[in-house]
Amino acid sequence: MASTLHHVPTRFGRLTFRAEGPEAGAPLLLLQRFRGTLDDWDPEFLARLAEGRRIIRFDNAGIGASEGEVPTSVDGMAEVALAFMDAVGLEQADILGWSLGGFVAQHLAHRAPDRVRRLIIAGSGPGGVAEGPQPHPKVPEVMAHPQNTEYDFLFLFFTETEAGRAAGCAHLRRLGAVADRVPAVTGAAFMAQLRAISGASGLRERLGRLGMPVLVANGVADVMIPAYRSYVIAQEAPDAKLVLYPDAGHGFLFQHIADFTAEVGRFLADH
């Protein structure tokens, strides 16, 4: 059974969230991927994260059960995230952004650095990285499919090895068992997210101004956002640690759940 669905009013409309774990300590706010809702986080991943801290996952404006319109810029998505923090009384939080959420998290950290205690950037990049490996040429075509098949999902998020495919199928089974899900991302919301992504400005030139500790992680074989871009963040942010997972792609955090959640726990506890 999914945790209770909560709603909170903001100037962008009523936003939806779920929360798990103990109340004590700095909460961890999760920022979701492109085309994902708050119910597309792996339940095993959530359970392990929530063992030692409060975790909060919400849907940005126009996504899932949240009201409002999807922002037309990534910075606008960060503005909604900040309004959500205000509405639920989060004066400061640790932030974990995955994929598109990783870009939103960086914008949030620049917009309100005093509100972000620690920053975790998973399967993401800083934009503005012209050098190094590029995304797989099939990625734009597959991302643009109106509906992603299981094959599409496995291609985008997991490696084609036996271990990678097994991990991807296990992840899909766990997601399939999630009850009481919020509505899936609509076609209009999907197109608005695409417009925001395509018009996103680079964050690379601002990496040196990230004052909080940063944990950067990815799979070495990410076909969407190559791991080199995680390396760029770790190299150019002043206080950043990089962790890369073997035989793993964009969905590494749901393939190496025990290892990555333990890494997150150490990172947050050490600071």
Side-chain angles (χ1 to χ4, degrees):
M1 177 68 69
S3 59
T4 302
L5 195 65
H6 302 279
H7 309 278
V8 63
T10 74
R11 61 191 176 91
F12 297 100
R14 192 179 70 161
L15 302 180
T16 303
F17 71 99
R18 300 188 195 273
E20 292 94 6
E23 297 278 0
L28 178 62
L29 179 64
L30 306 183
L31 304 181
Q32 182 59 293
R33 64 172 172 87
F34 169 64
R35 295 182 83 165
T37 72
L38 57 79
D39 287 325
D40 287 314
W41 294 99
D42 190 299
E44 183 179 338
F45 175 76
L46 293 173
R48 285 184 178 267
L49 274 184
E51 287 176 359
R53 65 193 45 80
R54 189 71 164 171
I55 59 170
I56 301 171
R57 45 192 167 117
F58 87 107
D59 279 333
N60 210 290
I63 299 298
S66 287
E67 296 177 344
E69 297 183 1
V70 177
T72 56
S73 69
V74 178
D75 193 51
M77 295 174 184
E79 190 176 356
V80 175
L82 186 58
F84 172 78
M85 291 178 67
D86 290 339
V88 296
L90 289 181
E91 293 185 9
Q92 192 179 58
D94 297 322
I95 307 294
L96 189 161
W98 173 42
S99 194
L100 170 59
F103 290 100
V104 177
Q106 291 174 75
H107 279 278
L108 176 60
H110 288 298
R111 176 180 284 272
D114 58 318
R115 307 289 295 275
V116 180
R117 193 184 77 103
R118 302 290 177 260
L119 179 62
I120 303 169
I121 304 171
S124 196
V129 181
E131 78 276 16
Q134 298 301 304
H136 192 289
K138 282 177 57 178
V139 165
E141 171 198 341
V142 176
M143 282 182 63
H145 288 170
Q147 298 292 331
N148 279 148
T149 64
E150 181 175 308
Y151 172 82
D152 289 345
F153 189 88
L154 292 175
F155 165 73
L156 291 173
F157 291 90
F158 295 89
T159 61
E160 295 182 345
T161 66
E162 183 177 348
R165 282 293 182 262
C169 290
H171 169 61
L172 288 174
R173 285 194 298 271
R174 292 191 295 270
L175 284 183
V178 174
D180 303 321
R181 298 177 64 93
V182 299
V185 174
T186 66
F190 152 62
M191 293 304 297
Q193 284 186 323
L194 270 183
R195 287 195 295 272
I197 293 168
S198 64
S201 59
L203 290 158
R204 186 174 187 176
E205 65 275 10
R206 290 192 275 169
L207 285 172
R209 300 202 292 272
L210 286 175
M212 68 289 296
V214 181
L215 175 64
V216 192
N218 205 349
V220 296
D222 190 336
V223 298
M224 283 197 281
I225 305 179
Y228 176 76
R229 300 183 184 188
S230 296
Y231 167 75
V232 169
I233 297 175
Q235 183 184 46
E236 300 183 13
D239 185 5
K241 175 183 179 179
L242 174 65
V243 180
L244 296 176
Y245 288 89
D247 190 16
H250 203 64
F252 75 92
L253 63 175
F254 307 136
Q255 180 173 346
H256 297 279
I257 292 176
D259 192 290
F260 182 58
T261 54
E263 190 72 52
V264 169
R266 286 190 297 270
F267 172 71
L268 298 180
D270 287 348
H271 297 89

